[in-house]
Amino acid sequence: MTDNEQTFDVVVIGGGPVGENAADYANQGGLSAAIVESELVGGECSYWACIPSKSLLRTPQAVVDARRLGGVTADYDVDAVLARRTSFTSDWSDDGQVSWVSGAGITLLRGHGRVAGERAVEVTTPDGTTSTVHARRAVVLATGSVPVSPPVPGLDHVRTWGSREATSARSVPARLGVLGGGVVGCEMALAFARLGSEVTLFNRGGRLLPSTEPVAGDRVADGLRAAGVDVRLNQGLDEVAASGGAIVLTAGADTVEVDELLVATGRRPAGRDAGLDTVGVDPDALAVDDSGLVTGVPGEWLYAVGDVNGRAPLTHQGKYQARIAANAIVARAGGATPATGPWGEHAATADHRSVPQVVFTDPQVAAVGLTAEQARAQGIPARAVEIDIAVAGSSLQADDYSGRAVMVVDTEREIVIGLTFVGQDVAEMVHAATIAVVAEVPLARLWHAVPVFPTISEVWLRLLEAYRSGDA
């Protein structure tokens, strides 16, 4: 080891919320920790994803919701919406996050980190200087994911937006094309339509949000159309070309001219430049156990958490994995045997069947667990109950409230294994559903969980009644 090499108990590659959680929990467990980050500390979620996207959506949605109540008039200022978004990203400065890292007792190393053999991380700083950092106990990969683009002729030769450009836009384009009907595509199509863009969304498949219950994609498509988005299902792009300062999109016999094109066709784990080859791991086949340990690497020292392991690419789920992995590292460092059985302290069991998610469209989609289709594909004897969200609480929430709820039940064990709510203001309902799924609460016991009147949560009672009656 040379004089410029440093050693820590735990070295985390990636300073987003997942990496921050891994380092913080390891540090709280008595281990020294360092974070290696090449961009902004706080990562994708803080500056280019979850936080700025939701801030762009929130003000227009609040105004639309207010207008759904009789006698209310409301409006919003687009420049103020953009300014509020910028305030949440601290104008893309990570000074606050850096201060938190320092205050937590964690060392920040600026540069690009790569695994460089057993318990070693090579750090390349912006000026090209390279040094090696060593880990006594563990190296944790928390490098996230990167966007992928489809092989559309001409796409590589025009200016495009990814989610970063969309969420950090300083102005609103008059015409926006969106390629992709997943979460990013749907949320950003709604945001920019509400901010004044003429938006055209192209989706090669016949459903938006294809991993959700069918009713979710159908209702989100209707909601986008109501907001002025031209939603084109079963229509991908055949060709893209520049025309002056505009972009021409060809889809079959149709052509659409836009000022900006958002490509939102998914992401892949960012493990290809993480040095995994130095320890014999194919980055495209990276796998971990429930404690976060990378399989196929002897010595119990290499972990991968968050999007990079491909298990459940959501910020909150990655943070959960980071807490689990860090606690497992602390346990192993102390000579203890980690509790890695299902629902153990050191096992990310929730990744398998109880992942919650909210899509902040209009209507919102709040879901946890398995869809009916997923349950049946896994061989689980399942029955789905689908009803309108039509209770006193929803009527009070908005005039002409329209929503749907889907409950998926394991009929053998009589427990809820999936819940989906589609409607205005359903986001905050998902945690109660998550508790029911994680705890495997029997339906007979859920019958005694009395919902407060008059709230939208009364739909829980209606779902149980429908299941008991066999009507839905």
Side-chain angles (χ1 to χ4, degrees):
M1 186 182 306
T2 62
D3 291 341
N4 68 333
E5 294 182 356
Q6 302 179 72
T7 300
F8 302 89
D9 291 321
V10 179
V11 179
V12 180
I13 305 177
V18 175
E20 288 178 326
N21 265 253
D24 189 34
Y25 271 70
N27 182 258
Q28 290 182 43
L31 303 181
S32 61
I35 290 174
V36 183
E37 175 55 56
S38 61
E39 294 188 292
L40 297 179
V41 177
E44 203 77 20
C45 184
S46 298
Y47 304 102
W48 302 289
C50 314
I51 298 299
S53 65
K54 293 353 171 234
S55 66
L56 288 173
L57 288 158
R58 177 61 189 142
T59 299
Q61 188 62 55
V63 171
V64 170
D65 290 345
R67 290 172 180 167
R68 288 173 178 153
L69 303 174
V72 175
T73 58
D75 212 337
Y76 53 92
D77 177 82
V78 171
D79 289 338
V81 173
L82 294 176
R84 184 171 187 265
R85 177 278 322 272
T86 300
S87 74
F88 274 103
T89 66
S90 301
D91 201 10
W92 292 275
S93 166
D94 65 358
D95 289 349
Q97 297 270 13
V98 170
S99 178
W100 175 86
V101 169
S102 175
I106 300 164
T107 299
L108 173 62
L109 303 174
R110 294 281 194 181
H112 177 71
R114 300 179 78 254
V115 175
E118 184 173 351
R119 292 183 171 85
V121 174
E122 180 184 85
V123 180
T124 304
T125 60
D127 66 4
T129 302
T130 299
S131 62
T132 302
V133 182
H134 296 270
R136 297 184 190 92
R137 302 296 182 181
V139 172
V140 182
L141 287 182
T143 50
S145 59
V146 292
V148 295
S149 295
V152 176
L155 189 61
D156 292 341
H157 302 291
V158 300
R159 177 188 68 254
T160 60
W161 276 5
S163 56
R164 285 193 171 195
E165 289 77 15
T167 56
S168 62
R170 299 287 186 172
S171 61
V172 177
R175 302 165 300 179
L176 175 67
V178 177
L179 179 59
V183 175
V184 172
C186 290
E187 288 187 347
M188 290 297 92
L190 177 63
F192 280 93
R194 292 261 173 87
L195 294 174
S197 291
E198 179 183 315
V199 180
T200 306
L201 185 151
F202 296 87
N203 188 59
R204 186 169 295 278
R207 274 174 50 195
L208 300 181
L209 306 173
S211 63
T212 64
E213 293 285 1
V215 67
D218 293 344
R219 295 228 169 182
V220 167
D222 291 343
L224 288 174
R225 292 186 178 108
V229 178
D230 180 359
V231 178
R232 302 189 177 196
L233 302 177
N234 295 307
Q235 190 173 41
L237 294 181
D238 298 317
E239 188 178 1
V240 177
S243 177
I247 303 166
V248 178
L249 312 177
T250 302
D254 297 333
T255 59
V256 176
E257 193 170 283
V258 299
D259 300 297
E260 301 290 351
L261 172 61
L262 168 59
V263 179
T265 49
R267 301 176 70 87
R268 64 166 176 79
R272 294 180 182 174
D273 192 27
L276 289 168
D277 57 303
T278 67
V279 291
V281 175
D282 178 356
D284 292 325
L286 175 66
V288 298
D289 68 12
D290 277 357
S291 73
L293 271 173
V294 176
T295 58
V297 178
E300 296 185 332
W301 63 271
L302 183 60
Y303 294 73
V305 292
D307 285 13
V308 71
N309 67 29
R311 284 169 60 118
L314 295 159
T315 298
H316 47 271
Q317 212 68 21
K319 291 166 70 174
Y320 160 72
Q321 294 171 12
R323 295 191 294 270
I324 294 289
N327 286 339
I329 292 167
V330 170
R332 288 180 172 123
T337 300
T340 56
W343 306 113
E345 175 72 11
H346 309 110
T349 310
D351 285 351
H352 302 296
R353 289 189 181 176
S354 52
V355 176
Q357 183 174 17
V358 174
V359 185
F360 290 84
T361 43
D362 185 15
Q364 293 177 341
V365 179
V368 63
L370 303 178
T371 65
E373 181 181 343
Q374 290 165 348
R376 290 165 188 148
Q378 293 184 22
I380 299 171
R383 177 184 160 204
V385 174
E386 182 175 330
I387 64 172
D388 284 329
I389 299 177
V391 293
S394 59
S395 297
L396 291 167
Q397 198 76 4
D399 295 345
D400 301 316
Y401 188 101
S402 178
R404 293 287 278 179
V406 183
M407 179 174 72
V408 182
V409 176
D410 180 331
T411 55
E412 206 168 76
R413 296 191 293 159
E414 287 284 288
I415 60 171
V416 179
I417 56 174
L419 262 300
T420 299
F421 302 105
V422 186
Q424 179 184 320
D425 300 321
V426 297
E428 297 300 335
M429 294 179 65
V430 75
H431 194 59
T434 303
I435 293 169
V437 172
V438 169
E440 300 183 342
V441 182
L443 294 185
R445 180 60 62 87
L446 276 179
W447 186 250
H448 297 282
V450 181
V452 173
F453 179 86
T455 66
I456 300 177
S457 290
E458 208 174 8
V459 72
W460 278 90
L461 174 59
R462 301 292 171 250
L463 285 165
L464 293 172
E465 289 173 337
Y467 181 80
R468 286 185 165 204
S469 69
D471 289 342

